[in-house]
């Protein structure tokens, strides 16, 4: 299966499965495509500091969103640039069903998010979808990022849509719509 087919499938899984179920599925997929050693290498990276920094940046972003009566927040990470990230506070929002994520490129403010250099290093070693191994690794890195972000989002009361995606991802993933 192509990587974009998996990415489309992930959105449905985010709405219908627990974080644990999703993580197990993509750990197994990574193990099958890239080997158990690669999957364990990714699984064993401690994401506590990343989640703590995410929480801080999310709270700042929500404060700005509230002050500006924003419609949505979009969190973007750059796989090609050490997994550096930013939150974008947006005045507009379009439901996923409308298949138009252009609203996210018209933001009113941004907040720097954390980076995840360990993920960036692993990604740089393998690329996006060069072969099956790269696909397994990329998908597991994405899932680990989405789950870390989703857990932070769940811990805070939020009243606006929250989306996540890697740089230039289309469509982006909805965590809360």
């Amino acid at each position: 299966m192509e990587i974009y087919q998996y990415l489309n499938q992930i959105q449905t899984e985010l709405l219908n499965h627990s974080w644990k179920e999703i993580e197990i599925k993509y750990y197994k997929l990574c193990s099958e495509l890239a080997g158990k050693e690669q999957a364990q290498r990714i699984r064993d990276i401690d994401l506590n500091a990343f989640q703590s920094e995410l929480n801080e940046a999310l709270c700042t972003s929500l404060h700005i969103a509230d002050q500006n009566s924003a419609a949505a927040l979009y969190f973007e990470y750059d796989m090609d640039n050490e997994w550096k990230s930013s939150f974008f506070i947006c005045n507009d929002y379009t439901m996923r069903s409308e298949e138009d994520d252009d609203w996210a490129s018209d933001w009113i403010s941004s907040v720097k998010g954390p980076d995840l250099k360990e993920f960036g290093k692993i990604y740089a070693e393998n690329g996006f979808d060069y072969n099956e191994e790269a696909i397994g690794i990329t998908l597991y890195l994405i899932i680990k990022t989405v789950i870390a972000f989703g857990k932070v989002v769940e811990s805070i009361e939020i009243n606006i849509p929250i989306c996540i995606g890697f740089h230039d991802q289309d469509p982006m993933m909805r965590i809360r719509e």
Side-chain angles (χ1 to χ4, degrees):
M1 190 172 355
E2 290 186 6
I3 195 164
Y4 291 103
Q5 292 172 300
Y6 285 111
L7 291 171
N8 286 332
Q9 184 177 308
I10 289 170
Q11 180 63 63
T12 302
E13 294 167 348
L14 291 175
L15 301 173
N16 298 315
H17 300 286
S18 72
W19 298 127
K20 185 174 185 164
E21 290 172 315
I22 294 168
E23 194 200 329
I24 289 169
K25 176 184 177 177
Y26 286 92
Y27 173 82
K28 287 179 182 177
L29 181 65
C30 183
S31 294
E32 291 168 16
L33 297 177
K36 194 168 188 150
E37 185 178 301
Q38 283 285 20
Q40 287 177 334
R41 178 181 178 200
I42 295 166
R43 185 185 62 194
D44 291 344
I45 294 172
D46 183 1
L47 298 178
N48 287 327
F50 178 73
Q51 285 182 287
S52 179
E53 292 176 44
L54 266 178
N55 186 63
E56 187 176 319
L58 176 59
C59 288
T60 300
S61 300
L62 287 169
H63 179 72
I64 293 168
D66 187 49
Q67 287 180 323
N68 291 281
S69 300
L73 283 181
Y74 169 52
F75 175 71
E76 181 179 273
Y77 54 98
D78 189 345
M79 296 189 295
D80 293 315
N81 193 14
E82 297 183 328
W83 233 259
K84 290 183 181 181
S85 67
S86 295
F87 284 88
F88 297 97
I89 297 95
C90 304
N91 269 338
D92 294 315
Y93 177 73
T94 304
M95 301 285 285
R96 182 175 172 86
S97 59
E98 294 187 34
E99 298 180 2
D100 181 7
D101 286 339
D102 288 344
W103 61 269
S105 60
D106 187 22
W107 42 274
I108 56 172
S109 187
S110 67
V111 174
K112 183 184 179 302
D115 61 23
L116 197 47
K117 290 180 178 152
E118 297 93 337
F119 278 20
K121 180 181 179 203
I122 294 169
Y123 176 76
E125 293 169 2
N126 297 282
F128 187 71
D129 63 349
Y130 177 71
N131 55 27
E132 281 195 351
E133 181 178 352
I135 290 171
I137 290 168
T138 299
L139 288 169
Y140 193 40
L141 291 169
I142 288 169
I143 285 299
K144 292 289 287 183
T145 305
V146 170
I147 290 171
F149 180 72
K151 287 179 178 180
V152 170
V153 168
E154 282 182 346
S155 71
I156 301 171
E157 186 174 327
I158 300 172
N159 299 319
I160 61 175
I162 305 283
C163 301
I164 183 173
F166 54 82
H167 183 68
D168 286 336
Q169 182 176 343
D170 186 28
M172 62 186 67
M173 295 176 193
R174 270 61 174 180
I175 299 296
R176 181 166 293 160
E177 191 162 51

